[in-house]
Structure formats: structure tokens, C-alpha cells
Amino acid sequence: MKNLKEGFESICIRDVDNDNFHAHLPPIYATSTFAYKDLDRAIAYFKGENQDYMYSRLGNPSNQAVADKIAKLEAFGISDENGEPIQAYGQLFASGMGAIAAATVGLLKSGDKIITQGNLYGTTNELFTSLLLDYGIETIIFNLKDLEHLENTILNDETIQMIYIETPANPTLQSFDLEAIAIIAQNMGIKTVVDNTFATPYLQQPLKYGIDLVVHSSTKYLNGHGTGISGVVIGKDNSLVNGKVKNIQKMFGACASPFEAYLLNNGLKTLALRMDKHCENAEKLAYFLKNHELVNHVNYLGDIDHLDHLLAKDQMKKYGGMLSFEIKGGFENSIQFLRNIQFCTVTASLGTPDTLVSHPASMSHAKMDKMQRLEYGISDGLIRVSVGLENIEDIVADFEQALEKLNV
Ligand SMILES: *Cc1c(COP(=O)(O)O)cnc(C)c1O
């Protein structure tokens, strides 16, 4: 395939032949250890002179094949200053949190600071503001929309060494300008990490804007079927991905299981197809909700009334499969709405074929200070939806009957 151009969907689907028997699908290398068939090569490996497989915590062909595939997707269609296609590198982790921990701990040291938004994924927020703090890495929660103030803040504090961004952010889909933030970071000589879980590389490619590392909870849309937990770190700089980041994986033991790699690779094959359908169904559900009398407002990036609609239009290929909406009647009515749901699935998480409905105020954000929660638009009546791939009329009918049964 050297001279043939591969489209995004083709990269998702085609596998590299990585075994001696030419299995059509990449085998699950269920082995802890690889034998030293060639002693000279083994000795050279331990000197760091080759990248052979030795022990699955340090590398496994099933894991590497899928990490390479996701790296190709994140780098898809992106050229460098000379017009040459960029190359990206990837490492697979046991979970999204394993990937996020490695990308941050690997690049930082005690005394460094992270600057980030206040509406991060809950466990990422906990990692930054509690665990990392205990190890001398402080986190500044900041309004990443205020670019001028961001630049000055970094300029005046040389211990700020990383900007960490999650866009679109949960559950209001607030979005941040990756290009503008990457320029500030590059001017200041600091690193940027983007959690691209909600968008996937099909809809948004942070590497295009000069972001250093992309992390994913591949548990979500990349696996796409809710069958397992995994994470990935992708970047253009091999010395970061296969140096500092991989080193944390080695020492913390956050390596993925080859079985998870197999599930992830299988799911990835339909990524483009699924994302198109998630986006299409989300748009239709958003339209229904926006016109419903019991709904105050809808947060959906494809809606021209969303504050970040134009940014999303610019930065993303489509508007994604996530939305949230506020039900009239606050906390009680939104809990009642969940009780009324019959067809969709009431749970957190996202990116599965079925539609998932949750109530952030009593679930994912229940521990958050109420004032802070409201500041980020997570009101008592807010419902979050990961719009699935079912027949849209069935999804809409379920929401319609669940809303109808409310006594407002
Ligand atoms: C789920 C999620 C994570 C954590 O990933 P795990 O695979 O559960 O460890 C991180 N960021 C975002 C945006 C997520 O949705």
C-alpha cells in the first residue's frame, strides 16, 4: 500500500499482517513473554538497540497494532510545513485514565503546574486536583475561553508547563479553540494535551493544530460497543510517546490486555459509519427536544443557538453524538423523566450503539459543589444523552412518552 492513498474508513478497516500465518484478523497475542530465539538480538534489545517484543507489559503486538491504527487516524490527512504527511505514534493503555495519568505524569515533575478548564471528566479532575497535588504538581482551574488572560497567566508563571483541554466538554458540549491555545502554548514553550474522547479523530484532529498529545478513553466511541475498557495516547513526537509516556506505562503497569486490543480493533472498523449515524440521530433528537414545550433548552453543537456552534463548525467535521437538555421542573422532574424511560438505557458512559440517558446532577456530578456545578451549566434539570444508532423514531418516541408522563 506504499504509494496508494488510504481513506479514513480504509485505515479503520484494514489490518496490517503481523503474524507468520497471515491470519485475516490480527491474532490476540495472549502471552506474557516472548522467547529469546536470537540471543544476539535479545542482548541488543536490553541495550535499547531494537524494539523487539520481550514482555507484554513493555509491548505486545496486538496492542501495538491497534495503537498504530489510532495514531494513523489522528494523523490522517495532516501535512507538515513542507507538505509531507505527518507521522504519529501511539501507545495503548488499560483505560482512558491510565492514558491520561501517563500523559500528564510522564511530561511533568514536582513543582510544575497544569492549567485547565473546570469542567473536566470527573476522575481526571480528581487525579489533577487531589493525587497530583500530593506529588507537587498543582492544577490551576482556568477559563480557557479567555485567551488573552491565558497567555498572560502563563507568561507570569514559568512553573505552568502544560495546558490540558477537553473539547467538547461534558455535559454542556462547551468547546475550546485548539488552534489558538496551541499557538499560545508553542509561543510559551509548554506542552498541550487534548482529551479527544467525545469527538474521535473522525470528527476532530487536535494534531492538526499542533497539539502535542491526544488522549482517549477508547472505552467509548473508538471501541463503540461498550465491550471493554481501554485508553490511548497519540503524538507526533516519538520521544514523548515511546519515551516519557511509555515509561510511565512500564513503571505504573497501565498496559492494556491484548484481548481489549482485539475488541477495540474490531469496534474501530465501523468508526466512520457509526459516527455518521450517531451525528445524524443526535441532530434529529436535538430538533425534537428543542421544539418540546417541557424542554427549556438543548445543548447540541449543531444548534445555531449553542454558544460554541461556530467554533465546532470550524474545528469539527460534524457535531457529534452527544447532547444535553434541561427539563422544566428541575431535579424532581428530571429524575421522573429517567424513571419514565422505557426503550433507551439509563446509565452514564457514552459511545455505545444504544442510546444512554443520565442525570449529571445526581450521577456523574453529584459530588461537585452545587454552585460550581451551576456555573458550568449543569443545572438540576439537565439530562445528558449519548445518542445511539437505533431507529431514530424509536428514540424520539421514548423521549416523547417519558416527557408526556411528567406532571408540570
Ligand atoms: C470515560 C472518560 C474518561 C476515562 O476513561 P476510562 O476508560 O473510563 O478510564 C476520560 N475522559 C473522558 C472524556 C471520558 O468520557
Side-chain angles (χ1 to χ4, degrees):
M1 291 291 282
K2 265 227 160 71
N3 301 314
L4 289 178
K5 268 201 177 154
E6 276 183 293
F8 189 96
E9 298 83 349
S10 307
I11 298 169
C12 288
I13 290 166
R14 308 297 304 194
D15 288 310
V16 176
D17 181 2
N18 71 345
D19 80 310
N20 289 333
F21 301 106
H22 313 298
H24 182 203
L25 292 178
I28 304 171
Y29 284 91
T31 180
S32 57
T33 312
F34 299 81
Y36 304 165
K37 284 283 180 198
D38 177 337
L39 211 54
D40 292 333
R41 278 199 73 90
I43 290 165
Y45 170 87
F46 287 102
K47 285 187 190 155
E49 290 169 1
N50 67 48
Q51 298 290 313
D52 290 355
Y53 292 108
M54 288 291 158
Y55 187 61
S56 280
R57 178 162 45 74
L58 314 179
N60 176 288
S62 305
N63 297 3
Q64 198 55 51
V66 74
D68 289 349
K69 189 183 266 192
I70 299 168
K72 258 182 154 180
L73 296 174
E74 285 288 353
F76 177 73
I78 306 174
S79 307
D80 63 15
E81 315 81 71
N82 308 317
E84 294 295 321
I86 64 159
Q87 183 165 8
Y89 304 86
Q91 277 301 324
L92 195 69
F93 285 80
S95 67
M97 285 316 303
I100 291 163
T104 49
V105 174
L107 268 53
L108 300 169
K109 58 182 187 322
S110 174
D112 289 345
K113 288 184 191 143
I114 303 172
I115 193 160
T116 189
Q117 69 217 59
N119 47 359
L120 290 174
Y121 178 75
T123 312
T124 306
N125 182 65
E126 204 178 331
L127 169 71
F128 289 2
T129 58
S130 113
L131 188 77
L132 291 191
L133 187 62
D134 288 344
Y135 289 87
I137 297 168
E138 199 183 309
T139 293
I140 304 171
I141 303 289
F142 199 84
N143 173 12
L144 296 180
K145 291 277 193 195
D146 188 349
L147 296 171
E148 199 176 317
H149 193 192
L150 177 66
E151 185 156 14
N152 282 326
T153 304
I154 298 169
L155 195 63
N156 291 319
D157 185 348
E158 60 186 30
T159 64
I160 299 174
Q161 288 297 322
M162 177 182 288
I163 311 178
Y164 185 95
I165 312 148
E166 205 177 295
T167 185
N170 186 38
T172 58
L173 290 327
Q174 185 183 41
S175 300
F176 300 99
D177 188 335
L178 292 177
E179 186 167 24
I181 294 173
I183 289 170
I184 292 172
Q186 281 166 356
N187 288 342
M188 302 288 158
I190 71 170
K191 296 285 186 256
T192 42
V193 178
V194 170
D195 183 332
N196 203 24
T197 300
F198 269 43
T200 82
Y202 185 61
L203 301 178
Q204 172 175 280
Q205 293 172 284
L207 297 183
K208 184 154 81 186
Y209 308 109
I211 295 296
D212 294 299
L213 293 178
V214 177
V215 294
H216 280 278
S217 168
S218 40
T219 307
K220 315 291 168 56
Y221 286 113
L222 297 184
N223 170 300
H225 298 75
T227 53
I229 302 272
S230 60
V232 67
V233 177
I234 308 291
K236 279 192 291 190
D237 184 344
N238 194 22
S239 72
L240 291 185
V241 177
N242 284 310
K244 291 177 170 183
V245 171
K246 191 174 175 186
N247 229 8
I248 299 294
Q249 180 180 65
K250 171 177 130 186
M251 291 186 279
F252 284 25
C255 51
S257 142
F259 182 65
E260 298 291 338
Y262 160 79
L263 294 171
L264 176 56
N265 190 51
N266 236 12
L268 266 179
K269 289 179 188 285
T270 54
L271 176 66
L273 208 59
R274 286 186 285 107
M275 291 316 291
D276 279 339
K277 189 69 177 176
H278 281 299
C279 292
E280 187 191 316
N281 279 355
E283 184 179 356
K284 289 180 180 157
L285 183 63
Y287 180 81
F288 164 78
L289 290 168
K290 201 177 170 179
N291 292 301
H292 199 287
E293 56 179 5
L294 295 184
V295 173
N296 281 333
H297 70 269
V298 179
N299 299 311
Y300 168 64
L301 283 174
D303 180 355
I304 49 165
D305 291 334
H306 193 290
L307 288 175
D308 293 317
H309 171 68
L310 289 177
L311 174 61
K313 192 172 180 176
D314 206 41
Q315 187 164 275
M316 295 170 71
K317 180 175 167 150
K318 292 183 179 182
Y319 301 107
M322 300 297 297
L323 60 82
S324 56
F325 65 100
E326 193 186 66
I327 293 188
K328 285 188 181 146
F331 201 93
E332 262 153 53
N333 257 349
S334 48
I335 294 290
Q336 189 56 45
F337 173 81
L338 289 190
R339 289 193 207 283
N340 294 349
I341 284 288
Q342 292 178 7
F343 173 74
C344 300
T345 309
V346 178
T347 187
S349 199
L350 61 130
T352 56
D354 53 331
T355 298
L356 310 182
V357 193
S358 68
H359 180 235
S362 66
M363 297 169 181
S364 51
H365 296 72
K367 281 194 203 143
M368 197 175 189
D369 170 67
K370 185 165 177 181
M371 287 312 288
Q372 199 191 342
R373 174 160 70 70
L374 294 176
E375 209 177 295
Y376 288 103
I378 308 163
S379 59
D380 288 348
L382 199 74
I383 298 283
R384 188 187 86 163
V385 190
S386 166
V387 186
L389 309 172
E390 306 97 326
N391 185 309
I392 184 61
E393 287 174 21
D394 297 343
I395 303 172
V396 168
D398 194 22
F399 277 63
E400 191 162 29
Q401 65 81 23
L403 284 165
E404 223 163 63
K405 284 189 197 142
L406 298 177
N407 14 320
V408 181

